[in-house]
Amino acid sequence: MNKPLVLVVEDDTPVRNLITTTLKTHEYRYLSSQNGASAVMEALSHNPDIVLLDLGLPDIDGVEIIRKIRSWSNMPIIVISARAEDSDKIEALDAGADDYLTKPFSVDELLARLRVTQRRLALMKTDITQESPIFTNGALKIDYMAGCAYLDGTELHLTPIEYKLLCLLSKNMGKVLTHTYITQQIWGSSWDNDVASLRVFMATLRKKLERGKDSPQYIQTHIGIGYRMLRVE
């Protein structure tokens, strides 16, 4: 099976060469762009499977490119940027990015993020969460139709908010969801007290999913940004 087609959008030549060489070495197909205008054209023309996007481009800010792509496509977008502030990450993720990698980064880290995104891409292409009323991830099972969740075959006793959070994370497997996005989906607003409530609900949900030291991690916290559901083998 062909590896995904990756669009690399990066104006810094050494960084772009590092990324494309890494992709070539690991048999990914790729296209590259040095500015925002050509990136949008490449995305429209070739419909890549994954976009690796630098935010600091010479002509169009990367966040604006995310918004443009999101106006017609859900293709996964991984931001690769020197902007390390949480506010920059949140802005990019809220605009529609799937993940965020801060420069400088290691090749191994880049490849790991690509693998996570590939797994999410496979879920998107097969529409598992839409076609099947049953979601499974390791020992976790969610029956969307019945409104129940199970761990190791035993029903989890979840509050309505915990169940909504679990469903939201499961339907966005591998994607970082920001505090703003989650609170808007759960409560329809995003005030400071909503975020504080979210932290409490997430803590109680994790206790029910990750019961001991040896339990697999289902939910990953991105401090100051949000949460992501991890694939458990």
Side-chain angles (χ1 to χ4, degrees):
M1 190 175 75
N2 284 336
K3 286 265 190 157
L5 176 63
V6 181
L7 172 59
V8 180
V9 187
E10 172 63 70
D11 66 321
D12 186 318
T13 301
V15 175
R16 188 174 64 253
N17 288 343
L18 170 65
I19 295 171
T20 55
T21 300
T22 299
L23 293 173
K24 186 174 182 179
T25 301
H26 291 83
E27 299 180 338
Y28 284 90
R29 298 173 296 139
Y30 66 87
L31 305 161
S32 64
S33 297
Q34 299 179 42
N35 58 62
S38 67
V40 172
M41 289 305 298
E42 292 282 13
L44 277 167
S45 303
H46 298 281
N47 194 31
D49 296 302
I50 301 171
V51 179
L52 299 179
L53 175 66
D54 179 29
L55 294 183
L57 297 170
D59 56 343
I60 307 173
D61 188 77
V63 173
E64 184 58 32
I65 293 172
I66 295 170
R67 294 192 181 107
K68 286 180 182 291
I69 291 175
R70 283 291 169 261
S71 70
W72 83 82
S73 174
N74 285 322
M75 64 181 68
I77 300 172
I78 303 175
V79 167
I80 299 178
S81 178
R83 301 179 191 174
E85 295 296 322
D86 284 351
S87 58
D88 293 314
K89 296 179 183 180
I90 291 168
E91 184 182 20
L93 291 164
D94 276 340
D98 294 79
D99 205 349
Y100 198 110
L101 195 57
T102 303
K103 296 176 183 175
F105 57 88
S106 71
V107 167
D108 287 342
E109 189 176 10
L110 172 62
L111 290 169
R113 300 298 180 93
L114 282 169
R115 287 193 295 270
V116 168
T117 305
Q118 276 181 258
R119 288 195 286 269
R120 182 166 179 268
L121 190 62
L123 287 175
M124 287 169 62
K125 286 190 171 179
T126 53
D127 287 323
I128 289 175
T129 57
Q130 294 179 19
E131 289 181 5
S132 172
I134 304 294
F135 168 88
T136 56
N137 182 19
L140 174 65
K141 183 176 84 168
I142 305 171
D143 185 332
Y144 296 124
M145 296 291 287
C148 299
Y150 305 84
L151 191 68
D152 288 319
T154 301
E155 184 173 353
L156 291 168
H157 297 288
L158 303 177
T159 67
I161 294 292
E162 288 170 348
Y163 179 74
K164 285 174 73 175
L165 284 169
L166 185 62
C167 290
L168 184 63
L169 289 164
S170 69
K171 291 177 179 179
N172 291 275
M173 169 80 75
K175 180 173 181 176
V176 179
L177 302 182
T178 65
H179 296 137
T180 299
Y181 177 81
I182 296 172
T183 54
Q184 287 282 1
Q185 294 296 310
I186 301 299
W187 289 288
S189 60
S190 190
W191 302 104
D192 287 344
N193 60 339
D194 292 329
V195 175
S197 297
L198 173 62
R199 291 195 178 101
V200 173
F201 280 111
M202 291 301 296
T204 58
L205 177 59
R206 291 180 80 159
K207 283 182 182 177
K208 294 176 181 180
L209 292 176
E210 302 163 13
R211 294 171 175 168
K213 289 189 299 182
D214 298 327
S215 298
Q217 182 185 8
Y218 286 95
I219 300 170
Q220 183 181 57
T221 301
H222 290 253
I223 296 172
I225 297 169
Y227 302 91
R228 176 208 320 247
M229 177 169 281
L230 301 173
R231 168 63 71 185
V232 175
E233 302 301 332

